[in-house]
Amino acid sequence: MDVIPSTTPEEAVRASAKRTADLFGPEYLMVTPSVANGSIGVSYRRKTEYEHVKELPPALAAKQAQAAAARSKRPKISAPPQGAGTGDKSGASTALVRRGGRGPAGGAAGEDKPTSLIQRPSATRQQPPEWHAPWKLMRVISGHLGWVRSLAVEPNNEWFASGAGDRTIKIWNLATGALRLTLTGHISTVRGLAVSPRHPYLFSCGEDKMVKCWDLETNKVIRHYHGHLSGVYTLALHPRLDLLVTGGRDGVARVWDMRTRSNIHVLSGHTGTVADLQCQEADPQVITGSLDATVRLWDLAAGKTMGVLTHHKKGVRGLATHPREFTFASASTGSIKQWKCPGGEFMQNFEGHNAVINTLSVNEDNVLFSGGDNGSMSFWDWKTGYRFQTIDTTAQPGSLEAEAGIMASTFDKTGLRLITGEADKTIKIWKQDDQATPETHPVTWAPTLGRQRY
Amino acid sequence: MTSIAEGLFKSLPKPKYTGEEEELPQHAQRGPRIVGPGQLDETQIVLRRTGPPPYGNRAGWRPRAPEDFGDGGAFPEILVAQYPLDMGRKGTPSTSNALAVQVDAEGKVKYDAIARRGHSDDRIVHASFKDLIPLRQRVDMGEVSLDRPSEEEVEAQMEKTKNALASLVSGAVAAQKPKNVKGGSRAEPTFVRYTPANQMGDTSRKNDRIMKIVERQQDPMEPPKFKHKKIPRGPPSPPPPIMHSPPRKLTAEDQEAWKIPPPVSNWKNPKGYTVPLDKRLAADGRGLQDVSINDKFAQFAEALFTADRHAREEVRLRAQMQQKLAEKEKAQKEEHLRALAQKAREERTRGQASRASRSPSRDRSRSRSYSDASVRSRTPDEDEEAARERERIRRERRQDAERQLRQSRMGTERRIQAMAREQNRDISEKVALGLAKPTQSSETMWDSRLFNQTSGMSTGFNEDNPYDKPLFAAQDAINSIYRPKPQADFDDEADAEGEMSKLQKSNRFEVLGRAKEGFRGAADAEERSGPVQFEKDTADPFGIDSMIADVTGGAGGAGQKRYGIQEAEPESRGSKRARVDEED
């Protein structure tokens, strides 16, 4: 140390001050000028003015310890109570309370703890979204002469059917994309399709007020379900019973007995077009979304409304029930909402898709797809509502700019392919990117700072 | 529990009214009391009063009927349940449909009772602010289970649903079958044995009768006797509570964005609206596409410009070159000429020198020969003529000079006048004679069409007819004047024509040039169309005609007019005729 190698005066002063603080700081109110603690003045004032409230009075301390113990029994608290004053959510005590330990004057000891005196009530741990591989276009099938308005995948996952504005139903090989069959019979746009998992039947409905049952062994219409007063826009099969539910522009959903063609129930109550409809095996067995901006849950046995969900502000055009969870989602213009099933409790919003959303689909891997009328597509994580991908579809060459729009969508039975029917008269098949990893496509998610409990 | 209740009851004082074995006091009994004739005495007649008894007399009195309250409220000092105005009395049907306030377990008012009214209890109604909060963020929400219902539950549900629907389906199928065919199945006739009973003391034996009861035959085609009446719908169930904020107010921008301009056609405007020019241009659609000019145009124009400049430069250079050449040639020619002249001069000087040395009188002889020729050509009268001519010219010159002198002495006005006269433009004499009139300047300076009109050309001005009055205003009047037409019964065509022309040409009424004034009273006469209808003026108020006829006698009559045969007839007849004419 005989030769100090060329220090500037400033460095020398700083080194000296540091050494002095290290030596005498704790005793003589000197504080280390550390970055984390803010200015020296603040820490000085903290020491001088709040020294006497550094420790809680013994009575209060006992009470608080008790409260903390009581809280820790409740399961929803994830953050363990650390010291007095942290994690104080009750809001009863707003007094400034010193944390335990020697405080910031202790130098490096106080570095790892938060430095603000008043702490935000710590939120419940927000669930981080699950990583999903991004989706990319795999195949474009151009064969229809009109907007592809409906899609249905066969239970064996070998083929799928598409109904379009050219009044035909076409059946395509799912693996190769080759056309297998064209069914003609409707005299207007085919708006809904369903393949029965328990019968060799294909059901179709259209704007010509007709609901048809096709026998796939003879490829002929074997039944008509007559009764709708206007165009039939959607159709669903009951998963357990031989029932068919259709909904349309006359604002009612009709429940048909598949065999006898009799109209069992007329589920009336909507004041607008029934735009989408879902069936499931447990109550509510029928869920309808309507352009009067409501979603209705129906009691199928009684044929009455179980509940009405009026949270949407605009017409509900898309519904999707999750295959494993007992939840469903509904989409109106610019908003997608998720609901818990038996009671229709609001679960969460999927925020960010600002378009007229025509269709929703969800697969078993918790991927929710929403397709917009302007061709925008969003992929969401079902659990958290995080949007991990947003792309715009590309209209096929030769089509107008306005013809980019998703009209129908469905996942295939494996959930690995997404089939979309579009306004550019094509069917597009999307798949997940094989090369993508969480490293290449990281989840850019941060917990929101807003209040988490109400 | 029971011990507590017993202890409680023991601690309480004994109840005054048990209510069971109580006999109603007389004044509490309502309605008329029927008493026998012997029971009534004066002391028993009391005045029936309604309303509460006066203070001090209320011991044991209890208000029961509405009239006991006397339009007032309950009596707090009387410790029984009271129902003034029947308020709160159980078992009475209420006509009000107001909902009673209900509270939940925490004592908060359940406002969703309104939304639940008319619905079953298991109806899902979201009515509180809590229902707007995402499920996981609700404070009181514990662990949320999202599992699908178990298989047993689903099975049970399916069974229930299936049964409910099966009955419906069977009912629907049955309804589809023809069931109301009348007369299709008639019940079998039933036989009844009937033994008449003894009546009115008639105890004689009667025969048994067997009766066959058959259902009456019905007409299968008979229309239904009863009309189906439509049952009016019940009141609708209350609408669900709206769980979203009201729609945003429409801003001016939104309205602007939704504004669709009315269609403007350049070809049709059946209502004849005035369409502003900018709207017309906007409707044209020409402005919608912005014109994009190819870059090549600029290049082309540039190239043209440079080529043009280049060509001009070349032309200029060529012209310069040519000019230079011409100058050079000219200079050369001049040089040549000069050289020639030089040579010639030199030759001449050389030759002169030699000639002078030979014959010096040559020059003189030549000049003499010239003068000789001129003298010889002149004759004596020619000389005279020339002299006269010269004299005349000289005189003219002198006169000119004199006049100029005079003019120089004149004033400007006179000089101009003189000059004008010289050029034949002096009309002062004509003006003096009244032959020339100055132009009416005011007439020509204003367009008379614009006079006396409120706003010029725009109002009522017809583009097609710029004249406000006919050019020949008198034409109508001229045409309306009666002219005798050439008549077909003229024996000679040519004669008639001649007569006609004569009639037209002769201005019959022009007497001493005063015809323009017309006759007196002609102006205020009615305009007529057609020939003048003359009235025969037969009135002879003073008998002057007859007097003249008398005076003149037959000679006068003969002198005036002779009508062949009528000549001999007496004048009295003529007057008589006139009188007859007068009458009709």
Side-chain angles (χ1 to χ4, degrees), chain A residues 379-391:
Chain A
F379 294 87
W380 313 80
D381 181 41
W382 179 267
K383 292 273 186 196
T384 56
Y386 166 70
R387 177 159 71 168
F388 64 89
Q389 191 186 7
T390 171
I391 45 174

Side-chain angles (χ1 to χ4, degrees), chain B residues 325-359:
Chain B
L325 278 174
E327 269 176 12
K328 211 179 204 175
E329 207 173 335
K330 204 174 166 189
Q332 252 179 353
K333 211 174 265 175
E334 258 177 31
E335 191 64 26
H336 182 64
L337 281 176
R338 202 177 296 133
L340 277 179
Q342 186 75 21
K343 209 161 78 184
R345 217 174 291 135
E346 275 175 8
E347 267 180 16
R348 204 187 303 161
T349 49
R350 215 182 299 136
Q352 220 168 21
S354 62
R355 215 164 23 200
S357 59
R358 273 185 292 157
S359 56

